Amino acid sequence: MVRALFIGKYQPFHLGHLKALKWILERCEEVIVGVGSAQYSHQLDNVFTVGERIEMIRRVLAKEGLLNRCLIVPIPDIGQHALWVSVVLQYCPKFDVVYTNEPLTRRLFLEAGFRVEEIPKFNREVYDATRIRRLMIEGGDWESYVPDEVASFIKEIGGVERIRDLTRSDKVVKV
């Protein structure tokens, strides 16, 4: 059995992530979905908690019938790149290949001796978490870029209101 590791921040989990995951599952029997930067939340680039991200992913996998082939594992950043792969190995079951397009993640796993494969960019200019969060802030159509289960969950937890609150400031601008 070939088991893959697919790491991302999933802020939020979008249709590009789902397409990539399905593509990986065509090549591997099982995938560890590593939820990176697990310790961060309530920031503009890390809006959702690790528990919320796991719940988003779990709901999508359940609807897609993929729960039995995926493990969802939170993975923290530690601030020391040279040690990070060893932390990932402590948090995850054994895996055979890493799928990522993120340059630092790729480099760190290659240097640690892992096989690393790139993932096709499924409409990367459209399916981009930063763009989706910007649409949430601006009141745009962010929902069409995430699975229905993710959109429902974000509404359920007040995620759009949270990200909009995070853009506010208490600073007084003097003219």
Side-chain angles (χ1 to χ4, degrees):
M1 175 180 79
V2 176
R3 181 184 286 155
L5 174 63
F6 176 41
I7 295 182
K9 291 192 332 179
Y10 311 114
Q11 289 278 8
F13 188 83
H14 54 65
L15 292 170
H17 293 132
L18 180 58
K19 289 178 183 196
L21 181 58
K22 287 180 175 181
W23 183 86
I24 295 167
L25 283 166
E26 290 173 4
R27 286 146 184 80
C28 302
E29 288 83 11
E30 196 169 72
V31 176
I32 299 166
V33 180
V35 183
S37 301
Q39 75 274 30
Y40 297 119
S41 68
H42 294 78
Q43 301 170 328
L44 288 178
D45 59 341
N46 291 294
V47 177
F48 304 105
T49 68
V50 70
E52 290 166 343
R53 291 180 279 158
I54 289 170
E55 184 63 22
M56 287 177 204
I57 296 165
R58 191 196 65 73
R59 288 183 182 194
V60 172
L61 294 177
K63 178 172 183 281
E64 297 288 331
L66 300 173
L67 267 177
N68 62 333
R69 296 185 60 202
C70 296
L71 306 164
I72 307 170
V73 177
I75 300 173
D77 293 340
I78 61 165
Q80 290 184 284
H81 298 307
L83 302 176
W84 183 69
V85 171
S86 64
V87 170
V88 173
L89 295 174
Q90 291 176 13
Y91 278 74
C92 293
K94 182 184 176 309
F95 51 89
D96 307 291
V97 58
V98 178
Y99 283 92
T100 184
N101 291 335
E102 203 283 316
L104 179 60
T105 301
R106 177 180 181 74
R107 172 61 29 212
L108 294 175
F109 277 101
L110 283 171
E111 289 179 4
F114 283 88
R115 186 175 116 217
V116 180
E117 301 288 338
E118 288 192 21
I119 307 162
K121 294 179 173 84
F122 297 100
N123 293 328
R124 184 69 171 111
E125 65 285 347
V126 174
Y127 298 124
D128 176 72
T130 301
R131 180 176 173 274
I132 293 166
R133 291 190 307 272
R134 189 174 346 101
L135 288 169
M136 289 175 167
I137 292 166
E138 296 169 354
D141 176 25
W142 61 272
E143 293 176 56
S144 62
Y145 303 103
V146 300
D148 292 341
E149 298 76 24
V150 171
S152 296
F153 183 72
I154 289 172
K155 290 176 188 175
E156 186 180 312
I157 63 168
V160 174
E161 293 79 8
R162 180 188 305 169
I163 194 168
R164 287 179 183 162
D165 277 348
L166 293 171
T167 64
R168 296 175 43 198
S169 174
D170 65 348
K171 301 206 185 314
V172 175
V173 179
K174 294 183 180 183
V175 188

